Amino acid sequence: MSEHPRRIVVLGSTGSIGEQTLEMVRAHPDRLMVTGLAAGRNSQRLAEQAAEFGVDLVALADETSAERFDETVTKPLVGPDGICELVESAEADLVVCAISGVAGLRPLMVALEAGIDCALANKEPLVSAGRIVTETARKSGARLLPIDSEISAIFQCLRGEDPSEVEKILLTASGGPFSGLSAEELQEVTADRALDHPTWQMGRKVTIDSATLANKGFEVFEVHWMFGVDVRNIEVVVHHQSIIHSMVQFQDGSVIAQMGLPDMRVAIQFAMLYPERVSNDLPRMDLAEIGKLTFARPDTERFPCLRLAFSAARAGRSYPAVLNAADEVAVEAFLADEIPFMRIPELIERALEEHQAFETHTLADVEQADAWAREYVRGLL
Ligand code: NDP
């Protein structure tokens, strides 16, 4: 154990992952301390968190939210630049990246460029700019530690293993709340119903992405970029109980699985205290109680987002940034009851078909593809 508590910055602290991160900081006050907090618009909750953890350095996504912040606590930095400034000045040992969407890309890059380790829940930056993100980390020596439970599982299965001996990654998927619905029934589902996920309590965007299986597609990018696994060697397996969080198959046919109750706090703690495994009070798994574990192949006819993600991952260049941005716009429209559920994959597919792809060497290239896709999909709404 290190002498000083690890200094943590939490980006997206008011969200589902952010709150669970702070819960784990509370559980380990001798090992972890918060030095910076950033959120989108929830000024009140951010002020409460800053007061509780004695944090002076906070940031909010826009001016209106910053004006609502209680200035007796501290004065917030503002906007995307403010969030990046917070990352630069917080003297963090670890940045927990839990902003939702590609909005988390810039602050992640600032942290990695400064050589600061990042615990990554926010998967969209790896979809849009996976090569740039991982190359930046490699150059600066910053570590990317996964929080996403499937990616954490693979990370744990690979501990002490030789990556060149990996044959295949078996990425498990809960299947989402609609796995049993027919194509006709899927046409009718509402945002309220989609937000009711069977196993995970998550933010709105990732919950819809789980229902369309776009989220599983995004995890294919995470696996590809974080572990250097070829997309052809990543297989998705539907596993409704979410007990096996993913598996690694090796060249000799041996398969290692990581298991546990579906509880993000386990992966969050592992990322924050890595490489130590530290005792905690979280609930334990009882396999006899769970009874059985089931597995099935995903249905990419009913859930085309998974197929689209695989094809964008294989095609590379600017397609992944288009996939991600088209999904963000389509999900927002679905949440606002502007489009039906099955229009989400339709819009993404149209954007991918119409896009004139180019190489994405820089963040500006990624942002150009992202902006094109947003404008194109909005034009279809
Ligand atoms: P939430 O919607 O619950 O939280 C998102 C957080 O990001 C909030 O704090 C929100 O602030 C903040 N935020 C949103 N937009 C901005 C912005 N432009 N600038 C700064 N902050 C912003 O999402 P989750 O916590 O569920 O998910 C976060 C990320 O983690 C996603 O990428 C998701 O895919 C990933 N993830 C989530 C899992 C989960 O179980 N929840 C599991 C694995 C991965 P505010 O609310 O104040 O507006």
mmCIF file of all heavy atoms in Angstrom, residues 301-324:
data_model
loop_
_atom_site.group_PDB
_atom_site.id
_atom_site.type_symbol
_atom_site.label_atom_id
_atom_site.label_comp_id
_atom_site.label_asym_id
_atom_site.label_seq_id
_atom_site.Cartn_x
_atom_site.Cartn_y
_atom_site.Cartn_z
ATOM 1 N N GLU A 301 -30.359 -9.601 -36.388
ATOM 2 C CA GLU A 301 -31.489 -9.180 -37.244
ATOM 3 C C GLU A 301 -32.388 -8.246 -36.442
ATOM 4 O O GLU A 301 -32.761 -7.175 -36.904
ATOM 5 C CB GLU A 301 -32.303 -10.409 -37.689
ATOM 6 C CG GLU A 301 -31.590 -11.304 -38.665
ATOM 7 C CD GLU A 301 -31.307 -10.573 -39.967
ATOM 8 O OE1 GLU A 301 -32.210 -9.900 -40.487
ATOM 9 O OE2 GLU A 301 -30.151 -10.669 -40.438
ATOM 10 N N ARG A 302 -32.727 -8.697 -35.223
ATOM 11 C CA ARG A 302 -33.588 -7.860 -34.383
ATOM 12 C C ARG A 302 -32.811 -6.704 -33.766
ATOM 13 O O ARG A 302 -33.376 -5.672 -33.426
ATOM 14 C CB ARG A 302 -34.241 -8.705 -33.273
ATOM 15 C CG ARG A 302 -35.437 -9.509 -33.762
ATOM 16 C CD ARG A 302 -36.077 -10.285 -32.630
ATOM 17 N NE ARG A 302 -35.099 -11.141 -31.966
ATOM 18 C CZ ARG A 302 -35.002 -11.288 -30.647
ATOM 19 N NH1 ARG A 302 -35.827 -10.654 -29.858
ATOM 20 N NH2 ARG A 302 -34.075 -12.078 -30.133
ATOM 21 N N PHE A 303 -31.512 -6.886 -33.563
ATOM 22 C CA PHE A 303 -30.690 -5.846 -32.927
ATOM 23 C C PHE A 303 -29.535 -5.455 -33.859
ATOM 24 O O PHE A 303 -28.381 -5.811 -33.633
ATOM 25 C CB PHE A 303 -30.169 -6.345 -31.570
ATOM 26 C CG PHE A 303 -31.285 -6.667 -30.614
ATOM 27 C CD1 PHE A 303 -31.719 -7.961 -30.427
ATOM 28 C CD2 PHE A 303 -31.923 -5.637 -29.923
ATOM 29 C CE1 PHE A 303 -32.770 -8.249 -29.565
ATOM 30 C CE2 PHE A 303 -32.981 -5.917 -29.059
ATOM 31 C CZ PHE A 303 -33.399 -7.220 -28.884
ATOM 32 N N PRO A 304 -29.869 -4.710 -34.918
ATOM 33 C CA PRO A 304 -28.856 -4.429 -35.954
ATOM 34 C C PRO A 304 -27.698 -3.569 -35.457
ATOM 35 O O PRO A 304 -26.650 -3.551 -36.094
ATOM 36 C CB PRO A 304 -29.645 -3.659 -37.031
ATOM 37 C CG PRO A 304 -31.085 -3.766 -36.667
ATOM 38 C CD PRO A 304 -31.177 -4.102 -35.220
ATOM 39 N N CYS A 305 -27.859 -2.861 -34.331
ATOM 40 C CA CYS A 305 -26.777 -1.983 -33.870
ATOM 41 C C CYS A 305 -25.488 -2.765 -33.627
ATOM 42 O O CYS A 305 -24.396 -2.235 -33.839
ATOM 43 C CB CYS A 305 -27.170 -1.237 -32.598
ATOM 44 S SG CYS A 305 -28.334 0.085 -32.924
ATOM 45 N N LEU A 306 -25.617 -4.008 -33.212
ATOM 46 C CA LEU A 306 -24.416 -4.806 -32.950
ATOM 47 C C LEU A 306 -23.693 -5.107 -34.265
ATOM 48 O O LEU A 306 -22.474 -4.973 -34.363
ATOM 49 C CB LEU A 306 -24.797 -6.102 -32.220
ATOM 50 C CG LEU A 306 -23.626 -6.989 -31.822
ATOM 51 C CD1 LEU A 306 -22.661 -6.263 -30.896
ATOM 52 C CD2 LEU A 306 -24.123 -8.274 -31.140
ATOM 53 N N ARG A 307 -24.477 -5.464 -35.272
ATOM 54 C CA ARG A 307 -23.888 -5.729 -36.598
ATOM 55 C C ARG A 307 -23.231 -4.452 -37.145
ATOM 56 O O ARG A 307 -22.123 -4.478 -37.674
ATOM 57 C CB ARG A 307 -25.013 -6.206 -37.547
ATOM 58 C CG ARG A 307 -24.624 -6.278 -38.992
ATOM 59 C CD ARG A 307 -25.754 -6.834 -39.865
ATOM 60 N NE ARG A 307 -27.035 -6.129 -39.777
ATOM 61 C CZ ARG A 307 -27.303 -4.984 -40.398
ATOM 62 N NH1 ARG A 307 -26.402 -4.395 -41.141
ATOM 63 N NH2 ARG A 307 -28.513 -4.430 -40.281
ATOM 64 N N LEU A 308 -23.906 -3.316 -36.969
ATOM 65 C CA LEU A 308 -23.365 -2.049 -37.485
ATOM 66 C C LEU A 308 -22.052 -1.693 -36.788
ATOM 67 O O LEU A 308 -21.121 -1.190 -37.418
ATOM 68 C CB LEU A 308 -24.391 -0.922 -37.297
ATOM 69 C CG LEU A 308 -25.682 -1.097 -38.104
ATOM 70 C CD1 LEU A 308 -26.727 -0.062 -37.686
ATOM 71 C CD2 LEU A 308 -25.390 -0.990 -39.609
ATOM 72 N N ALA A 309 -21.997 -1.953 -35.487
ATOM 73 C CA ALA A 309 -20.769 -1.651 -34.744
ATOM 74 C C ALA A 309 -19.622 -2.528 -35.228
ATOM 75 O O ALA A 309 -18.512 -2.043 -35.448
ATOM 76 C CB ALA A 309 -20.995 -1.855 -33.245
ATOM 77 N N PHE A 310 -19.898 -3.815 -35.426
ATOM 78 C CA PHE A 310 -18.839 -4.707 -35.930
ATOM 79 C C PHE A 310 -18.364 -4.226 -37.296
ATOM 80 O O PHE A 310 -17.167 -4.201 -37.572
ATOM 81 C CB PHE A 310 -19.350 -6.153 -36.035
ATOM 82 C CG PHE A 310 -19.043 -6.989 -34.822
ATOM 83 C CD1 PHE A 310 -20.026 -7.331 -33.911
ATOM 84 C CD2 PHE A 310 -17.744 -7.452 -34.595
ATOM 85 C CE1 PHE A 310 -19.742 -8.116 -32.790
ATOM 86 C CE2 PHE A 310 -17.444 -8.237 -33.480
ATOM 87 C CZ PHE A 310 -18.447 -8.559 -32.578
ATOM 88 N N SER A 311 -19.308 -3.817 -38.171
ATOM 89 C CA SER A 311 -18.847 -3.443 -39.511
ATOM 90 C C SER A 311 -18.093 -2.118 -39.462
ATOM 91 O O SER A 311 -17.096 -1.954 -40.167
ATOM 92 C CB SER A 311 -19.970 -3.478 -40.549
ATOM 93 O OG SER A 311 -20.877 -2.473 -40.283
ATOM 94 N N ALA A 312 -18.484 -1.186 -38.583
ATOM 95 C CA ALA A 312 -17.724 0.076 -38.455
ATOM 96 C C ALA A 312 -16.343 -0.206 -37.860
ATOM 97 O O ALA A 312 -15.346 0.410 -38.257
ATOM 98 C CB ALA A 312 -18.487 1.071 -37.593
ATOM 99 N N ALA A 313 -16.270 -1.149 -36.931
ATOM 100 C CA ALA A 313 -14.974 -1.487 -36.317
ATOM 101 C C ALA A 313 -14.044 -2.082 -37.363
ATOM 102 O O ALA A 313 -12.856 -1.774 -37.400
ATOM 103 C CB ALA A 313 -15.177 -2.462 -35.162
ATOM 104 N N ARG A 314 -14.595 -2.920 -38.243
ATOM 105 C CA ARG A 314 -13.759 -3.524 -39.288
ATOM 106 C C ARG A 314 -13.356 -2.485 -40.328
ATOM 107 O O ARG A 314 -12.239 -2.478 -40.817
ATOM 108 C CB ARG A 314 -14.495 -4.687 -39.962
ATOM 109 C CG ARG A 314 -14.416 -5.985 -39.158
ATOM 110 C CD ARG A 314 -14.922 -7.164 -39.980
ATOM 111 N NE ARG A 314 -16.321 -6.983 -40.347
ATOM 112 C CZ ARG A 314 -17.345 -7.482 -39.672
ATOM 113 N NH1 ARG A 314 -17.136 -8.215 -38.605
ATOM 114 N NH2 ARG A 314 -18.578 -7.265 -40.054
ATOM 115 N N ALA A 315 -14.281 -1.580 -40.645
ATOM 116 C CA ALA A 315 -14.012 -0.586 -41.700
ATOM 117 C C ALA A 315 -13.038 0.485 -41.217
ATOM 118 O O ALA A 315 -12.285 1.056 -42.008
ATOM 119 C CB ALA A 315 -15.323 0.041 -42.164
ATOM 120 N N GLY A 316 -13.060 0.794 -39.946
ATOM 121 C CA GLY A 316 -12.113 1.762 -39.379
ATOM 122 C C GLY A 316 -12.271 3.157 -39.951
ATOM 123 O O GLY A 316 -13.366 3.588 -40.274
ATOM 124 N N ARG A 317 -11.168 3.877 -40.120
ATOM 125 C CA ARG A 317 -11.109 5.276 -40.571
ATOM 126 C C ARG A 317 -12.133 6.109 -39.794
ATOM 127 O O ARG A 317 -12.186 6.006 -38.583
ATOM 128 C CB ARG A 317 -11.294 5.342 -42.091
ATOM 129 C CG ARG A 317 -10.127 4.646 -42.810
ATOM 130 C CD ARG A 317 -10.191 4.864 -44.297
ATOM 131 N NE ARG A 317 -11.269 4.086 -44.899
ATOM 132 C CZ ARG A 317 -11.788 4.319 -46.092
ATOM 133 N NH1 ARG A 317 -11.340 5.315 -46.823
ATOM 134 N NH2 ARG A 317 -12.739 3.562 -46.569
ATOM 135 N N SER A 318 -12.943 6.918 -40.489
ATOM 136 C CA SER A 318 -13.869 7.789 -39.749
ATOM 137 C C SER A 318 -15.205 7.113 -39.450
ATOM 138 O O SER A 318 -16.080 7.708 -38.811
ATOM 139 C CB SER A 318 -14.090 9.085 -40.522
ATOM 140 O OG SER A 318 -14.334 8.806 -41.882
ATOM 141 N N TYR A 319 -15.394 5.864 -39.909
ATOM 142 C CA TYR A 319 -16.680 5.202 -39.661
ATOM 143 C C TYR A 319 -17.026 5.067 -38.173
ATOM 144 O O TYR A 319 -18.168 5.313 -37.776
ATOM 145 C CB TYR A 319 -16.724 3.830 -40.336
ATOM 146 C CG TYR A 319 -16.879 3.901 -41.835
ATOM 147 C CD1 TYR A 319 -15.877 3.454 -42.681
ATOM 148 C CD2 TYR A 319 -18.037 4.428 -42.407
ATOM 149 C CE1 TYR A 319 -16.006 3.525 -44.060
ATOM 150 C CE2 TYR A 319 -18.180 4.511 -43.787
ATOM 151 C CZ TYR A 319 -17.161 4.054 -44.608
ATOM 152 O OH TYR A 319 -17.298 4.130 -45.963
ATOM 153 N N PRO A 320 -16.078 4.680 -37.320
ATOM 154 C CA PRO A 320 -16.444 4.557 -35.904
ATOM 155 C C PRO A 320 -16.925 5.875 -35.280
ATOM 156 O O PRO A 320 -17.861 5.879 -34.477
ATOM 157 C CB PRO A 320 -15.138 4.074 -35.251
ATOM 158 C CG PRO A 320 -14.432 3.338 -36.345
ATOM 159 C CD PRO A 320 -14.724 4.130 -37.581
ATOM 160 N N ALA A 321 -16.302 6.995 -35.672
ATOM 161 C CA ALA A 321 -16.740 8.293 -35.125
ATOM 162 C C ALA A 321 -18.155 8.609 -35.599
ATOM 163 O O ALA A 321 -18.967 9.184 -34.863
ATOM 164 C CB ALA A 321 -15.772 9.401 -35.542
ATOM 165 N N VAL A 322 -18.467 8.201 -36.828
ATOM 166 C CA VAL A 322 -19.813 8.416 -37.374
ATOM 167 C C VAL A 322 -20.815 7.518 -36.642
ATOM 168 O O VAL A 322 -21.903 7.965 -36.253
ATOM 169 C CB VAL A 322 -19.822 8.141 -38.903
ATOM 170 C CG1 VAL A 322 -21.244 8.044 -39.444
ATOM 171 C CG2 VAL A 322 -19.031 9.230 -39.623
ATOM 172 N N LEU A 323 -20.435 6.268 -36.434
ATOM 173 C CA LEU A 323 -21.290 5.332 -35.686
ATOM 174 C C LEU A 323 -21.658 5.933 -34.336
ATOM 175 O O LEU A 323 -22.825 5.984 -33.944
ATOM 176 C CB LEU A 323 -20.529 4.022 -35.473
ATOM 177 C CG LEU A 323 -21.165 3.004 -34.526
ATOM 178 C CD1 LEU A 323 -22.104 2.093 -35.299
ATOM 179 C CD2 LEU A 323 -20.100 2.133 -33.829
ATOM 180 N N ASN A 324 -20.645 6.420 -33.629
ATOM 181 C CA ASN A 324 -20.877 6.935 -32.285
ATOM 182 C C ASN A 324 -21.752 8.188 -32.283
ATOM 183 O O ASN A 324 -22.709 8.289 -31.516
ATOM 184 C CB ASN A 324 -19.539 7.239 -31.607
ATOM 185 C CG ASN A 324 -19.750 7.754 -30.215
ATOM 186 O OD1 ASN A 324 -20.138 7.002 -29.324
ATOM 187 N ND2 ASN A 324 -19.573 9.054 -30.015
#
